Amino acid sequence: WFWPLARIVEHIPGRVFFCCRAALQELMRLKSAERLFLLLRKAPPTSLPKNPGITQVCSKVKCIFIRTFRLRFRLSFLYPINDAFLVLPPAKAASMIQQSIVGNPDVWRQALSTWAALQAELNGSHGRGQKRKREEEEDDVNGIKESVESEDACGLGQNRPTFRVSCRCSGAIARCCNSQNLSRIIGVAISQQLGWKADLRHCKVILCFAVYAVVNDLLSFISYCLFFDASVILDPMCGVGTILLEAAQECPSAVFIGMDSEEAQLQKAAENVEAAGQVNRMLLVQSSYIPLPTGSVDAVLCDVPFGRRFSCSTDMTSALPRILAEMERVLSDGGYLVLLLSLQLSGQIKKLVKSNTPNPESRAAGRNTKSPDHTHGVSKHSSEPDENRETERLKLSSLLLQNTHRVSLGSTDAIIHTYTKTHTLTH
Amino acid sequence: MIQNSGRSGCLNTEGEVHATEVKVNEVEFNPQFVSRMIPKLEWSALIQAAEGVGHRQDLPDTLVSNYENDEDFLHKVHRVLLEVEVIEGSLQCPESGREFPISKGVPNMLLNEDES
């Protein structure tokens, strides 16, 4: 009987999105729905920003909606957080959230008054007596006293309601964020910026936050180099310089070196550097190895080309150990190496470098004696198997895998590896 | 000019810089940045490179202590490090004598198949 009145906008398993003009009471009588959500506000889809910065780690609240909860309404918020947030030190994370979560106070005021109006209408017609007895008892136990008399609803005209934050984290965020902590941080931000009064025991409105991680852009991994004083940052396969230029935005006090073996790519990179006004901080070199002294670079960032031929006689999988060794060599102690890899390359590298994370599959590089089997096909550069095995054992043993992180690049997935250099090996 | 301070294509020794075209840009002076960079440089290589492009500016042969507070000194280093740019020229590896060309500000360090 209801559907002729409603226009279905969208449906996914478990959810139906619809628009209708039905009165609130009719909606509340829907028996086929367990929960009803009223969408108040939806932020426009986050288009991939051109320059994702650390400031975009915590985006604005994406959706505000009112959902029914046993004949009461809750103001609910969907709050996406950029996956780069996962590596922020706690103090920085807290301040990031506080700065970005509130946004436009008018939006909040509007949401609040809609909520209040709905609340009043619902309880005006049902009256408090109709609330199920069990719920009342539950409320008293939880110490929640939601005032539903109409004069209190009008009292919200002051726009300073008492509130409490209930926060639920999902996915990757849940593993590293304590939701109680997050609740507190959000609560502080709201009371400071909106002037609402936080009251855990007696509050008029409960604000429910669902916090989830959003993989923003493949360039978000640049955020890794923000937490330490990197002066010199290298991209040894820079192509047209995309990553370096993004990093230059984020690290105003660093100098960047880009290398590539292809002249055409470097020329384009030079144009991009000039267009970005970063000529003074960027150095471009045409090379297929890394002509820099040992330990001279604070960070290496690299989007390892998936299918590209490394030089005219080797392909990426054969050349990978040698490339990694060079990256390791030029890194200073405590330096970071961040790589964006295809799933295949990721698997290959995992066998070469020891990991800081508990992973039964990883082996220490020193014990890797399978080296001739790893190379796919014969390459000119590894023509002496003995020397290869010797260098394999020495190579990469001061790199320690800190973190892997899967990202979606649209049609494929990729994995970000983060390494630190622990001590300088003497060869 | 940063690259020339202590780097070579072969081994970690100083390379000689020959420049036929040099450009001097104006770059905002950041003394803290320059101070932080100095320990990372191979000083003798920097001096040699600076001399090669004609911008030595009476910088000393060896690094003096307490350079962090010598703004005049830092300015000179800033100039050579960030402002002087070799547009056309070459880098020479002292060990092998191999010359690497610099064209449009970009050095070409690619080795031939038989060299690597």
Side-chain angles (χ1 to χ4, degrees), chain A residues 201-249:
Chain A
R201 294 183 53 84
H202 311 286
C203 57
K204 281 195 179 45
V205 56
I206 296 180
L207 307 174
C208 307
F209 282 81
V211 182
Y212 61 100
V214 144
V215 175
N216 197 352
D217 190 69
L218 73 87
L219 299 174
S220 69
F221 75 122
I222 287 161
S223 320
Y224 284 105
C225 68
L226 292 176
F227 317 126
F228 63 109
D229 244 346
S231 296
V232 183
I233 298 177
L234 166 72
D235 182 350
M237 289 186 254
C238 67
V240 300
T242 326
I243 290 182
L244 286 177
L245 286 169
E246 292 288 346
Q249 295 259 339

Side-chain angles (χ1 to χ4, degrees), chain A residues 59-76:
Chain A
S59 54
K60 304 268 186 311
V61 163
K62 200 170 186 64
C63 291
I64 303 179
F65 49 94
I66 292 178
R67 65 168 189 181
T68 57
F69 182 76
R70 300 191 199 133
L71 292 182
R72 286 189 305 280
F73 293 106
R74 294 252 187 274
L75 259 180
S76 293

Side-chain angles (χ1 to χ4, degrees), chain A residues 15 43 46 69 71 81 102 113 124 141 155 182 203 212-213 230 234 237 264 273 288 296 301 304 330 368 375 393 395:
Chain A
R15 287 181 206 194
T46 321
F69 182 76
L71 292 182
I81 288 188
V102 171
S113 61
V141 161
L182 214 49
C203 57
Y212 61 100
L234 166 72
M237 289 186 254
V273 166
S288 60
S296 57
L301 306 177
V304 181
V330 300
N368 186 355
T375 56
R393 247 183 278 131
K395 267 184 226 175

Side-chain angles (χ1 to χ4, degrees), chain A residues 118-408:
Chain A
L118 280 175
Q119 194 82 342
E121 190 181 328
L122 182 68
N123 292 288
S125 59
H126 284 220
R128 195 161 183 169
Q130 291 218 358
K131 211 162 142 190
R132 284 175 287 189
K133 191 154 172 51
R134 193 172 43 118
E135 282 177 15
E136 265 189 44
E137 280 166 10
E138 261 181 46
D139 275 356
D140 287 336
V141 161
N142 291 335
I144 299 170
K145 277 182 166 39
E146 278 193 24
S147 183
V148 293
E149 281 90 23
S150 40
E151 60 254 33
D152 270 341
C154 291
L156 285 168
Q158 285 176 0
N159 279 332
R160 283 169 187 270
T162 49
F163 75 98
R164 159 174 98 95
V165 173
S166 154
C167 188
R168 191 192 68 220
C169 303
S170 61
I173 296 279
R175 283 200 294 277
C176 70
C177 273
N178 177 300
S179 56
Q180 270 186 331
N181 245 359
L182 214 49
S183 302
R184 197 180 35 84
I185 293 170
I186 295 174
V188 167
I190 292 176
S191 53
Q192 280 179 356
Q193 294 168 48
L194 290 175
W196 297 8
K197 236 178 92 39
D199 190 335
L200 292 181
R201 294 183 53 84
H202 311 286
C203 57
K204 281 195 179 45
V205 56
I206 296 180
L207 307 174
C208 307
F209 282 81
V211 182
Y212 61 100
V214 144
V215 175
N216 197 352
D217 190 69
L218 73 87
L219 299 174
S220 69
F221 75 122
I222 287 161
S223 320
Y224 284 105
C225 68
L226 292 176
F227 317 126
F228 63 109
D229 244 346
S231 296
V232 183
I233 298 177
L234 166 72
D235 182 350
M237 289 186 254
C238 67
V240 300
T242 326
I243 290 182
L244 286 177
L245 286 169
E246 292 288 346
Q249 295 259 339
E250 299 306 321
C251 311
S253 62
V255 147
F256 299 86
I257 304 177
M259 298 185 179
D260 203 283
S261 53
E262 311 262 326
E263 188 174 339
Q265 297 269 297
L266 276 181
Q267 284 208 11
K268 193 74 181 62
E271 285 167 32
N272 289 338
V273 166
E274 178 136 5
Q278 299 281 12
V279 177
N280 306 325
R281 297 208 285 142
M282 292 271 176
L283 207 68
L284 295 174
V285 179
Q286 186 174 7
S287 170
S288 60
Y289 53 98
I290 308 182
L292 288 173
T294 300
S296 57
V297 161
D298 299 316
V300 176
L301 306 177
C302 193
D303 177 356
V304 181
F306 298 161
R308 194 171 126 184
R309 297 191 69 69
F310 181 60
S311 65
C312 48
S313 60
T314 52
D315 65 5
M316 187 51 68
T317 42
S318 319
L320 196 58
R322 192 162 68 91
I323 299 172
L324 281 178
E326 273 284 273
M327 293 186 195
E328 183 199 25
R329 183 183 65 82
V330 300
L331 261 183
S332 57
D333 285 351
Y336 276 77
L337 167 62
V338 186
L339 302 172
L340 182 70
L341 303 159
S342 67
L343 299 182
Q344 186 210 355
L345 288 178
S346 166
Q348 188 184 352
I349 287 187
K350 274 197 165 150
K351 295 186 190 135
L352 296 172
V353 186
K354 58 177 179 274
S355 169
N356 204 16
T357 61
N359 182 354
E361 287 172 21
S362 68
R363 296 166 225 229
R367 280 178 264 135
N368 186 355
T369 51
K370 276 171 53 175
S371 55
D373 300 328
H374 276 158
T375 56
H376 299 234
V378 178
S379 83
K380 270 193 190 170
H381 299 275
S382 49
S383 49
E384 290 116 45
D386 282 339
E387 187 195 294
N388 224 18
R389 224 171 289 131
E390 177 67 34
T391 44
E392 286 275 10
R393 247 183 278 131
L394 290 176
K395 267 184 226 175
L396 309 177
S397 50
S398 57
L399 280 182
L400 195 62
L401 177 65
Q402 294 293 341
N403 198 355
T404 58
H405 191 62
R406 192 166 176 138
V407 294
S408 166

